[in-house]
Amino acid sequence: MDEPAEIGRRVQRMRAERGLTQRALAEPSYTSAYISTLESGKVRPSETALRFLAERLGTSYEELATGRPAHLATELRLALTDAQQTLATGAAAEAAVHYRQLLADSERLGLDAERAEALLGLGDCALESGELSDAIDHFEAAERLLADEPLPRRARPIRGRAVAHLLAGELRYACYLLESTIDELGASGLADPEALVLLYAAVIGPYIDMGAHARAAHAAELALALAPQVDDPALVAGMHRQVARTFLTAGRPADADASLAKAQAIYRQLRLRTDLAHCHWMRGYVQAQNGDLVAAEAELRTARDMLSARRAALYTAQVEVELADVLRRLGRHEEAAGLLSALLELGDSHGAVHAGGAHRLLGLMAEERGETESAEEHYVQALTLLERSGASGDLADLCRLLGDLLRRTGRIEAALDAYRTGLGHRAAPGTTTLGPAPASPLRR
């Protein structure tokens, strides 16, 4: 709401334009003296008074209080919806152009809620294009704009920041952001189902990558219990996509595939192309883990082609690491090695976990060619990346590979050190690498 003097001048101008006296405007609820005091800027009108005067003047409360025609805010919200649809069905770069214009428009009109939505959209565009630093900046700016809003309103930018840090390989910090927000929601009594499902689904990935499988399963259980209270179908689909990972970890590939099928059906109906590509990606991973390499290759290629068409460079390169693993297992080593270069060219700041996976695969292929020195170099580079990320399960496996290589080349003490390092990381998940598990708001 503007200052009293500005509101008073606006009321006076509109009254004069409509040929009304102060008494005619005021009656029957107010007096002409009150209108005179208001127009002189000596009193701040209540919302009730402004709504009464707006109706008498044939305008909106928003226009009388702020000077902005109501249709401008409505048009901006419709344009934001269009931009969201562009991001869902088109390229992130195209959607970002729309969001930047809408950000400028909302700043000019002083519409903070719409500014926050535009920033969230820009953050999502940056995630898809792999510009992780920009994504974090956009999500942080949105969170600042929503600082005075209830915590559930801030769940989306917090989740966005966590995903950006996760993609950068900063698993512990991603867990911290999500866990602390879940705990704060529970402690505040603001256990909003949509916010909690959003956060529980987001924390499953880093939990699994860190080897905290029990926590991931618990988060999945809580998300599934809350799902019937969630109206947003895309959010429910995203939850099913993440829950599939916990089923796979528990050795239940059929349940994982069924969960992914539910997500895919929703994404197809909503025409959410990137999310649908992620489902193909995850189904390929499930099939690879289950030993069905031909089907896995088909799903991963579908995901890669869909993401590449949307110019989602980071996600495309990450899919190619998993596709390369399938091709290696099928004996197509040269093709696999060619795919791995895409992610490594992005630099290790764009996903330490997948970059570590790429070096691990290159090391395996070097070993199979008998190139021991090259294999060791790749394993050591992978170890450095995965130690930074905190991906405990991958670290333990890598230490086993490195230890085996060192033992075969006669370096027994070095091999023992590698094995001990792996055992240390295997013991850490859910205890020393993470703080106490978030309390369940359902039990409060």
Side-chain angles (χ1 to χ4, degrees):
M1 186 184 294
D2 285 341
E3 292 300 312
E6 185 63 33
I7 294 173
R9 285 192 292 271
R10 193 173 298 126
V11 170
Q12 184 179 41
R13 175 178 56 78
M14 289 186 177
R15 178 179 63 79
E17 288 173 352
R18 289 154 178 76
L20 296 173
T21 64
Q22 290 179 337
R23 175 175 292 180
L25 177 61
E27 293 178 345
S29 299
Y30 298 92
T31 66
S32 58
Y34 174 76
I35 299 300
S36 176
T37 305
L38 187 155
E39 290 182 349
S40 66
K42 295 177 181 177
V43 63
R44 177 177 288 279
S46 66
E47 180 179 337
T48 301
L50 276 185
R51 290 193 181 281
F52 169 82
L53 295 175
E55 184 177 352
R56 298 283 291 165
L57 291 167
T59 188
S60 67
Y61 164 78
E62 184 176 17
E63 183 168 3
L64 201 57
T66 66
R68 295 189 299 267
H71 70 87
L72 292 180
T74 301
E75 290 171 1
L76 191 60
R77 293 183 193 111
L78 289 172
L80 281 166
T81 301
D82 289 342
Q84 290 164 1
Q85 187 64 23
T86 299
L87 178 58
T89 59
E94 181 184 353
V97 171
H98 295 305
Y99 277 122
R100 279 192 287 270
Q101 182 59 56
L102 292 169
L103 179 61
D105 290 344
S106 58
E107 287 175 343
R108 176 173 51 80
L109 294 171
L111 297 170
D112 284 350
E114 286 70 22
R115 283 175 65 195
E117 284 297 320
L119 285 165
L120 286 168
L122 284 170
D124 287 336
C125 291
L127 281 181
E128 187 161 321
S129 58
E131 298 162 351
L132 302 182
S133 179
D134 289 345
I136 291 169
D137 289 343
H138 292 315
F139 289 128
E140 286 179 342
E143 196 174 346
R144 286 193 297 271
L145 278 174
L146 298 171
D148 295 329
E149 296 288 329
L151 183 56
R153 285 275 291 124
R154 288 179 273 131
R156 281 178 61 202
I158 292 170
R159 180 259 184 194
R161 281 204 292 140
V163 170
H165 285 290
L166 173 62
L167 289 172
E170 298 162 4
L171 276 63
R172 289 188 183 89
Y173 189 62
C175 281
Y176 163 76
L177 284 174
L178 296 164
E179 286 185 340
S180 59
T181 307
I182 291 168
D183 278 338
E184 190 178 346
L185 277 169
S188 66
L190 299 173
D192 180 90
E194 292 207 354
L196 284 170
V197 168
L198 183 76
L199 297 168
Y200 282 136
V203 82
I204 287 171
Y207 275 162
I208 289 177
D209 287 341
M210 294 182 71
H213 297 160
R215 288 198 185 184
H218 185 55
E221 289 172 7
L222 294 172
L224 286 167
L226 288 166
Q229 302 176 51
V230 174
D231 295 325
D232 181 356
L235 179 54
V236 173
M239 181 269 299
H240 281 302
R241 198 175 85 208
Q242 294 301 323
V243 166
R245 296 192 66 183
T246 67
F247 287 139
L248 187 62
T249 301
R252 297 162 58 186
D255 289 330
D257 199 56
S259 192
L260 288 169
K262 292 177 185 177
Q264 278 184 311
I266 296 172
Y267 289 143
R268 284 196 188 96
Q269 185 177 4
L270 297 176
R271 296 170 56 210
L272 300 178
R273 299 285 293 171
T274 297
D275 293 304
L276 184 57
H278 279 268
C279 275
H280 284 293
W281 180 358
M282 187 63 192
R283 290 192 93 166
Y285 178 75
V286 169
Q287 287 158 346
Q289 293 296 304
N290 208 30
D292 190 350
L293 300 182
V294 174
E297 180 186 356
E299 289 284 4
L300 291 171
R301 286 193 183 280
T302 298
R304 192 269 306 269
D305 292 346
M306 291 174 71
L307 291 167
S308 178
R310 293 175 57 80
R311 298 191 290 279
L314 176 58
Y315 289 135
T316 301
Q318 290 181 338
V319 170
E320 288 177 340
V321 172
E322 297 188 18
L323 177 57
D325 185 34
V326 170
L327 294 174
R328 181 191 69 83
R329 291 164 66 185
L330 287 167
R332 290 147 64 185
H333 290 191
E334 288 188 16
E335 192 177 351
L339 285 175
L340 294 174
S341 62
L343 185 130
L344 296 180
E345 287 172 3
L346 289 174
D348 60 26
S349 63
H350 286 72
V353 174
H354 278 81
H359 280 295
R360 173 186 174 277
L361 287 175
L362 289 168
L364 282 170
M365 288 188 285
E367 266 203 272
E368 289 164 356
R369 293 192 304 269
E371 298 171 3
T372 304
E373 188 175 333
S374 176
E376 184 178 345
E377 287 178 4
H378 283 298
Y379 288 155
V380 169
Q381 288 186 67
L383 186 63
T384 301
L385 288 163
L386 295 175
E387 280 186 321
R388 191 181 74 195
S389 72
S392 300
D394 290 340
L395 268 166
D397 178 66
L398 184 65
C399 288
R400 177 187 60 79
L401 290 172
L402 179 58
D404 289 349
L405 175 65
L406 294 169
R407 179 172 55 81
R408 284 195 298 271
T409 55
R411 287 171 285 172
I412 303 303
E413 286 301 319
L416 287 171
D417 286 341
Y419 291 140
R420 290 188 193 102
T421 300
L423 287 170
H425 287 297
R426 177 59 71 189
T431 54
T432 57
T433 60
L434 299 170
S440 169
L442 296 178
R443 296 178 181 172
R444 292 183 180 274

